[in-house]
Amino acid sequence: MLKFTVPGEPYGQPRPRFSAVNGKVHTYNTDESRNYKTQVKLIAQTAAREQGWTFAETEGIGMKVYAYMSIPKSETKKFHAAAVAGDIRPTKKPDVDNIFKAVSDALNGVLYHDDRQILLSRVEKYYSDEPRVEVEVFIVRKELS
């Protein structure tokens, strides 16, 4: 199993942007999206090297993503305490599927060949005073499938 943490506010993959150049439509990602994916990729590469992760060429992959979002400063102390305790969970953007997509796209070609290898996923959102995304990646063994 490989574990790593991406510091900062969780980021959700936005819809692709389109532009027309000389009558041809081009699809592109925003600078913010590219920067976030680069950050995830670099942290994952370092963690893989330190934890001895072997590149998964054909194996099935499982991935757990825990997104810790900052608590709004406008909220009460009571809300803050409940949020830190996990009694209140965020229902605001970004959506869990967009958070997962940003992370899984960033890890393509880094920890595994392609994100189509992901057989199992779990994404959860929480509040925290320390916003971050914690990622766990593991090989799905036959007995677990």
Side-chain angles (χ1 to χ4, degrees), residues 2-8 35-51 106-107 110-111 133 135:
L2 175 68
K3 293 183 179 185
F4 61 92
T5 300
V6 181
N35 293 343
Y36 185 78
K37 288 179 184 179
T38 299
Q39 179 186 17
V40 172
K41 180 180 179 177
L42 293 174
I43 292 169
Q45 287 172 328
T46 300
R49 192 169 42 256
E50 291 172 353
Q51 296 174 39
L107 300 179
V110 177
L111 302 182
V133 175
V135 181

Side-chain angles (χ1 to χ4, degrees), residues 1-32:
M1 178 182 290
L2 175 68
K3 293 183 179 185
F4 61 92
T5 300
V6 181
E9 200 66 38
Y11 180 80
Q13 175 68 34
R15 294 183 186 273
R17 304 289 185 228
F18 301 95
S19 67
V21 178
N22 296 328
K24 292 186 179 184
V25 176
H26 296 277
T27 309
Y28 67 95
N29 287 319
T30 62
D31 288 341
E32 186 180 19

